[in-house]
Amino acid sequence: MDDAAAMARALALGERGRRTAAPNPWVGCVLVSRGEIVGEGFHRAPGEPHAEALALRQAGERARGGTAYVTLEPCSHHGRTPPCADALIAAGVGRVVVAVLDPDRRVAGQGVARLRVAGVVVEVGLGSEAARRSLAPYLHQRLTGRSYCLLKAATSVDGRTAAADGSSRWITGPAARADAHALRADSQAVVVGAGTAMADLPSLTVRDVPDPPACQPLRVLLDARGRVPPKGPLFDPTLAPTLVIATEQADRDAVAAWRRAGAEVELVPPAAGGVDLAAVLELLGRRGVLQALFEGGAGVHGALVAAGLADRLVLYVGGCLLGERGRPLAAWPGPDAIDAAPRWRLLDARVLDGDVRLEYEPARPELD
């Protein structure tokens, strides 16, 4: 097995922990000796063995002199588990190939340095593009302190998210809706604004996915002034936990009612008639939310785009036209001229039955 194939296998293994590892990264490891895989593993959940430890356990003595392929730099600190760098050294691994360095301040190159001091050959960068794409929410949260901001919307062909009367069920078909639930399953929080909460009475839960997460994502309501009454599935604590993020301007009776209904309430500074969205992402980041999925409405989406806080955009385009009276995808003033328009890079385009799934990221330099 060559280097590229071994790293590709490690990346595929790491993806198996995407829905269960957070707030830790989903990491895969493959151990190769004499051209054959002798051990492999992935990190499944906090407190459980890391990918390297599982691969070493499986390999046993066959790890000595072999090569470890790891999607993220081996840790060098004691947390819930011992340092993986030390375990690789103790097992006598001769070479370690790392896709990307870990920006966590407790690691940040120290794992690689420890391996090299011990005489282990270390190579960094193989499979880095795929690893950065896979681990984007984790890397972003560790680098910025903010949750990775993923916007999701279903639109008509002419870019409308609802008809003039606010109705939107259903712009897209079952396949697109199932894919959207997979996005929820990949996220640690699902976020909506007050308008969407009142209009749709959403549950914001993961449903009917083949590999569901161990627990439902945190449901987050953004309500600066206390407009949303604590009723409907969003405030049913038996479905999932709910966090309301408001401001000091919120009606005190509303705050008290949210708490009586079982919701948690946090306050952030106000901004432009709503909540400070950078503060929201920082708050969620501190809570261990790596990826926050924003499902609307237009005001929230527009404010995130205008502030440059959106990290990814997934659009499901259904085969209908809603016209100029339809509701927009993002409510914001926009540029005066095309030259000033924010540019987005297309990452993926797929047909889902009669709909199209488009995935974009801002056309800006990647964070290093």
Side-chain angles (χ1 to χ4, degrees):
M1 172 172 281
D2 63 19
D3 286 352
M7 184 59 78
R9 174 60 182 166
L11 285 162
L13 285 167
E15 281 294 320
R16 292 171 63 180
R18 174 179 288 273
R19 294 179 181 175
T20 55
N24 293 348
W26 36 98
V27 177
C29 177
V30 170
L31 274 167
V32 174
S33 179
R34 298 180 180 179
E36 295 184 359
I37 293 177
V38 295
E40 59 183 28
F42 69 94
H43 182 50
R44 197 190 73 86
E48 295 193 12
H50 288 190
E52 299 94 324
L54 291 171
L56 288 169
R57 182 186 302 172
Q58 189 179 102
E61 283 300 316
R62 294 176 297 173
R64 189 165 299 278
T67 297
Y69 299 85
V70 192
T71 56
L72 186 70
E73 178 183 8
C75 62
S76 55
H77 64 285
H78 282 271
R80 297 184 186 181
T81 58
C84 292
D86 289 357
L88 291 165
I89 293 167
V93 171
R95 175 173 171 250
V96 176
V97 180
V98 178
V100 292
L101 297 179
D102 190 342
D104 189 300
R105 58 181 179 77
R106 298 168 296 177
V107 187
Q110 297 176 67
V112 163
R114 185 173 296 189
L115 290 165
R116 285 174 172 157
V117 166
V120 179
V121 175
V122 181
E123 299 171 15
V124 179
L126 178 68
S128 61
E129 183 176 352
R132 287 182 185 277
R133 183 65 49 81
S134 171
L135 290 165
Y138 169 80
L139 298 174
H140 178 85
Q141 190 260 2
R142 291 301 196 270
L143 282 165
T144 67
R146 300 192 304 266
S147 296
Y148 187 81
C149 177
L150 172 59
L151 308 189
K152 183 227 85 176
T155 75
S156 62
V157 173
D158 52 350
R160 302 293 173 171
T161 59
D165 66 354
S167 60
S168 60
R169 296 183 180 180
W170 295 105
I171 289 177
T172 56
R177 298 199 294 274
D179 191 85
H181 274 277
L183 284 183
R184 286 184 181 177
D186 289 343
S187 305
Q188 292 75 55
V190 183
V191 189
V192 294
T196 297
M198 290 188 293
D200 295 347
L201 294 178
S203 66
L204 303 185
T205 54
V206 177
R207 301 185 296 278
D208 301 324
V209 296
D211 184 22
C215 58
Q216 289 284 346
L218 177 68
R219 303 177 299 178
V220 181
L221 167 64
L222 307 181
D223 188 354
R225 299 187 298 277
R227 299 162 53 199
V228 181
K231 62 182 181 181
L234 185 57
F235 287 92
D236 183 348
T238 67
L239 297 178
T242 296
L243 168 66
V244 182
I245 301 181
T247 70
E248 292 284 359
Q249 300 169 352
D251 180 83
R252 292 187 179 183
D253 290 339
V255 172
W258 291 331
R259 288 182 170 141
R260 284 195 302 271
E264 189 178 353
V265 180
E266 293 268 12
L267 303 181
V268 297
V275 296
D276 184 323
L277 291 169
V280 168
L281 290 168
E282 289 164 5
L283 169 64
L284 294 177
R286 290 194 300 272
R287 294 175 66 106
V289 171
L290 302 185
Q291 178 167 288
L293 176 63
F294 284 76
E295 296 199 358
V300 172
H301 283 170
L304 288 165
V305 170
L309 293 171
D311 300 301
R312 191 69 56 93
L313 170 62
V314 174
L315 289 179
Y316 300 96
V317 182
C320 63
L321 295 164
L322 295 176
E324 63 181 12
R325 294 191 302 131
R327 306 291 176 85
L329 166 65
W332 65 303
D336 292 327
I338 192 66
D339 290 346
R343 295 291 175 173
W344 292 68
R345 179 167 46 245
L346 180 66
L347 299 176
D348 184 53
R350 280 184 273 153
V351 175
L352 299 173
D353 290 344
D355 305 316
V356 177
R357 181 190 191 274
L358 302 173
E359 185 169 353
Y360 293 90
E361 69 178 0
R364 62 190 184 202
E366 291 288 343
L367 292 169
D368 296 323

